[in-house]
Amino acid sequence: MAFALGLLLALPGPGLISATLAQSLTQQQSDAQKAYDDALNRFKQVLAERRNQINSKQPLPNLPGQALYLARVDMISTYKDLTDALPSKIGRPNKFGLPPAYFDADAEPLVDEYSKLFGIMEAPPAGAQDSATPFKDVVELAVAIARAKGLDAADAEAAGRISLGLFFAETNGKQNVGNARSNTYKGSLQTGPSEDRIGRKKWAAIKPAIGRFDPQLIARDDKEEARAGDLDHRFNHWTAVRDGLMNAHAELFPQIPSIVRTLKNPIDQMKFFELIQIVPTPTRSALNSGNLLAYRISDPRIMRYLRNNSIFAFGKADRARTSATFRDIMDAMWLFNKKFERALAEYEALKAKKS
């Protein structure tokens, strides 16, 4: 009893406890503000350095986009930490559609510059073969593949819509681009050499079936094959899309009817197929589980892959997550939303033109 009384008398009074907590909170807010200011300045410095190198025609480092990407991640992360510590810092909506708790709209010009620099660094190589109808190509190829896989007209159209979303997710709808963060993944669907080879082999197997109901598409394919010749097929838009879809996504086209029933939002459908691009094995496992949205990922390696693709990548709270359901994952893919919205708009424009 004497020990307990002595301990109680030794504790600070209520006023001192409140003052201590207030001081601690103020320090937390101050630290968060400093971290964001430092990250913002680093982002500006990296942008200026890369712009100067490009304008003065200096050689760029290997993977020149990686430092830019990491600096942008740090800027968004520290801003989320700041708004967690000081919610009054959450500002106005921004033109990119990012959650205001993660992004200060005053930084919009910096992200515009970021996009411009990536546009320069990821420009298609000399000799890349564009298409005059890049969006139409994606939809028509996906629809034809889906029909050959046995889908009816409506579900085949869903395959086309989803595949256009993949094109925007991977390249913002730009053809034949490089990759400033990777020496492996290139082209309109950002595939590696082995993925492209696998896709070509699978296309050769399905091509006769498509020829029986769409000889016009196969005639276009023959022209593009002849045009590509010995060129890396990832830098001919048609063959890059064709092989990219056949490599991984086409295998799941027969399951589109059940996917669409589970994920009624077209943007969620696009997110699911983008996850086939990012983390294919657990995404297939989730689909086969019978409870897609509740399927939980807890493998640290998979969580790292997600974070490397801007999912749970921003702020201490998000980065501390050790597991997530597929519903959580798709909700965290907000950085893809604008891309998928653009894909939907282009798809609707194609439909209107066709009708």
Side-chain angles (χ1 to χ4, degrees):
M1 182 70 168
F3 174 78
L5 180 61
L7 180 62
L8 182 62
L9 291 173
L11 291 174
L16 288 175
I17 292 174
S18 298
T20 301
L21 288 174
Q23 183 179 9
S24 174
L25 184 61
T26 301
Q27 185 63 51
Q28 180 190 13
Q29 293 170 344
S30 176
D31 290 346
Q33 182 68 65
K34 183 178 186 306
Y36 175 66
D37 291 343
D38 290 346
L40 185 65
N41 286 330
R42 280 195 300 273
F43 188 43
K44 291 177 182 178
Q45 290 167 5
V46 176
L47 289 171
E49 178 186 24
R50 201 63 80 243
R51 171 60 69 180
N52 179 60
Q53 289 170 336
I54 289 171
N55 287 351
S56 61
K57 303 189 185 305
Q58 297 177 37
L60 298 181
N62 183 44
L63 307 181
Q66 187 68 359
L68 286 175
Y69 171 78
L70 293 175
R72 188 195 63 158
V73 167
D74 197 31
M75 179 189 71
I76 297 174
S77 292
T78 53
Y79 190 71
K80 180 61 167 63
D81 292 337
L82 175 59
T83 59
D84 283 346
L86 196 60
S88 62
K89 287 287 186 178
I90 299 175
R92 65 187 188 278
N94 56 84
K95 67 180 183 180
F96 305 115
L98 305 184
Y102 286 80
F103 184 74
D104 183 357
D106 288 345
E108 286 177 350
L110 300 179
V111 177
D112 284 337
E113 171 69 354
Y114 175 91
S115 298
K116 290 174 185 175
L117 290 172
F118 266 85
I120 295 168
M121 295 185 295
E122 296 185 336
Q129 297 173 342
D130 281 0
S131 168
T133 54
F135 305 148
K136 182 170 175 281
D137 294 354
V138 175
V139 174
E140 288 188 349
L141 279 163
V143 167
I145 293 167
R147 287 181 62 193
K149 295 279 186 180
L151 271 64
D152 64 19
D155 289 325
E157 283 296 325
R161 181 182 68 237
I162 290 166
S163 297
L164 191 57
L166 293 172
F167 180 38
F168 274 86
E170 291 298 312
T171 71
N172 284 313
K174 298 177 181 177
Q175 303 181 60
N176 302 324
V177 296
N179 190 320
R181 296 180 56 216
S182 171
N183 291 325
T184 301
Y185 299 102
K186 312 286 183 183
S188 293
L189 276 192
Q190 292 294 288
T191 48
S194 63
E195 294 165 327
D196 184 67
R197 286 193 298 270
I198 292 168
R200 290 175 71 178
K201 185 176 179 180
K202 290 181 177 179
W203 173 257
I206 204 173
K207 185 173 178 176
I210 295 175
R212 286 192 283 273
F213 63 80
D214 196 343
Q216 187 174 351
L217 184 139
I218 295 304
R220 166 75 186 279
D221 186 68
D222 289 340
K223 285 177 62 177
E224 293 296 339
E225 276 285 350
R227 180 185 177 208
D230 294 330
L231 177 74
D232 184 334
H233 273 46
R234 294 175 300 163
F235 291 119
N236 170 290
H237 174 69
W238 176 274
T239 57
V241 169
R242 180 198 75 188
D243 300 339
L245 290 176
M246 288 303 306
N247 170 65
H249 302 96
E251 291 180 5
L252 290 185
F253 281 1
Q255 299 190 60
I256 280 179
S258 63
I259 292 169
V260 169
R261 283 195 298 272
T262 302
L263 304 174
K264 301 188 185 306
N265 185 328
I267 288 181
D268 277 349
Q269 297 161 19
M270 293 175 179
K271 287 179 178 179
F272 174 79
F273 272 85
E274 178 61 14
L275 288 169
I276 288 291
Q277 188 94 348
I278 297 171
V279 285
T281 300
T283 304
R284 291 191 184 95
S285 297
L287 181 61
N288 295 333
S289 71
N291 196 350
L292 168 60
L293 292 176
Y295 188 86
R296 183 169 291 276
I297 300 293
S298 56
D299 184 335
R301 182 174 56 94
I302 301 303
M303 295 297 286
R304 284 197 300 273
Y305 286 154
L306 293 173
R307 289 191 173 100
N308 194 47
N309 285 273
S310 301
I311 303 166
F312 304 128
F314 307 112
K316 293 176 182 176
D318 282 354
R319 295 186 69 85
R321 293 187 71 124
T322 57
S323 71
T325 65
F326 264 73
R327 180 69 275 170
D328 296 332
I329 292 168
M330 286 192 282
D331 288 344
M333 293 174 73
W334 40 263
L335 207 60
F336 292 83
N337 286 345
K338 276 288 184 184
K339 299 180 180 184
F340 291 141
E341 288 166 7
R342 287 180 58 206
L344 277 176
E346 292 295 344
Y347 176 77
E348 293 300 329
L350 285 173
K351 276 181 61 180
K353 189 174 181 180
K354 186 176 179 180
S355 62

